[in-house]
Amino acid sequence: MTDLDLADDPAADAAPSQGRSRPALDLLIWDAPNIDMTLSTVIGARPTAASRPRFDAIAAWFVEGAGDPGAPDAPEVEACVFANIPPVVGSLQRWVEALRNFGFAVFARPKTQPDDDIDQDMLDHIAVRQHSHRLRRLVVFSGDGRNFAEPLEELARTGTQVVVVAFSEVAGYAIGSDLLEFIDIEDVPGAFTEPLDRVRLDALPPDGAWLRPTRSLREFVAGFLRRNG
């Protein structure tokens, strides 16, 4: 890696000096493609501005969880959003700049193929911070158990507090784990400006609840007959 590469690498300035103890760190990782996809799944529709999470409230919740910044053992805090950027950027430029203004670092990778993903980039960054800091708390916003379950549980075994924040409908890997803590993203204070149009099976009212269909019966049957007619 060249000197220029090091200057441009956000992890480079975190490398510990020889003989210096590693500083404590609380790290937030946001899996943007997964959260967007699972949000659409749980509400049965394309998210609108009103149904998208508020990063300012999430930042406040995360920093508050780090404790008193003036305490002798107060950790550093870092929040990172990982995003795939399609060829047609559209409004994503404004979204990225808003995130940076809220104090989030953004890792943006071009999405040139349908199967392009950023999961390994997130795991790599966690590993870098594990080396450069004493990772006290890791908060991962993702329902992707296939890629995260094993490495997150392994990290929890080392003593790091690992918290998974996602939608309960799609985060069975964290809910069923004895090592990971789970929080439904809608339980983060202020994360949404209004309640999402969903009924959580982990929080049903005592008298039960009706779950409306996410598409009309006639629409489904018409598509079924086209495929199988």
Side-chain angles (χ1 to χ4, degrees):
M1 181 178 284
T2 66
D3 291 342
L4 179 61
D5 292 330
L6 285 170
D8 289 341
D9 182 357
D13 59 355
S17 300
Q18 293 291 333
R20 189 178 69 187
S21 62
R22 295 177 299 164
L25 175 69
D26 281 14
L27 175 64
L28 183 153
I29 298 291
W30 185 284
D31 183 352
N34 181 270
I35 293 297
D36 284 355
M37 178 184 67
T38 54
L39 174 58
S40 298
T41 299
V42 300
I43 66 175
R46 185 174 181 177
T48 64
S51 61
R52 290 189 182 279
R54 290 182 51 192
F55 283 89
D56 51 356
I58 288 164
W61 168 80
F62 174 67
V63 170
E64 183 180 5
D68 181 3
D73 59 347
E76 298 177 10
V77 292
E78 179 186 4
C80 309
V81 174
F82 289 74
N84 278 330
I85 306 298
V88 180
V89 175
S91 62
L92 286 178
Q93 184 72 48
R94 294 193 300 273
W95 176 70
V96 167
E97 293 309 317
L99 288 173
R100 296 173 67 195
N101 190 52
F102 291 152
F104 289 81
V106 179
F107 179 84
R109 177 186 288 278
K111 187 175 181 65
T112 57
Q113 301 295 330
D115 58 350
D116 283 348
D117 209 344
I118 51 174
D119 294 331
Q120 191 58 51
D121 296 299
M122 288 183 276
L123 292 172
D124 288 346
H125 187 67
I126 292 170
V128 167
R129 287 296 183 247
Q130 191 180 8
H131 172 73
S132 65
H133 289 71
R134 178 169 53 84
L135 200 51
R136 192 191 77 143
R137 178 175 61 131
L138 173 65
V139 180
V140 177
F141 282 75
S142 180
D144 185 356
R146 181 185 63 181
N147 290 305
F148 286 107
E150 185 174 341
L152 292 186
E153 288 193 338
E154 183 178 341
L155 185 58
R157 290 188 185 96
T158 69
T160 297
Q161 178 190 9
V162 182
V163 183
V164 172
V165 187
F167 297 103
S168 58
E169 293 92 329
V170 295
Y173 83 98
I175 296 171
S177 173
D178 295 329
L179 297 170
L180 308 178
E181 299 178 31
F182 174 75
I183 298 174
D184 190 283
I185 189 172
E186 203 170 2
D187 291 337
V188 175
F192 296 93
T193 56
E194 57 189 45
L196 295 178
D197 186 12
R198 63 191 279 233
V199 177
R200 290 167 52 182
L201 297 182
D202 65 332
L204 288 170
D207 296 332
W210 281 99
L211 310 182
R212 65 172 181 78
T214 56
R215 62 190 298 190
S216 78
L217 188 62
R218 289 187 183 278
E219 179 187 359
F220 166 76
V221 171
F224 174 81
L225 292 177
R226 283 195 300 271
R227 294 190 302 270
N228 299 279

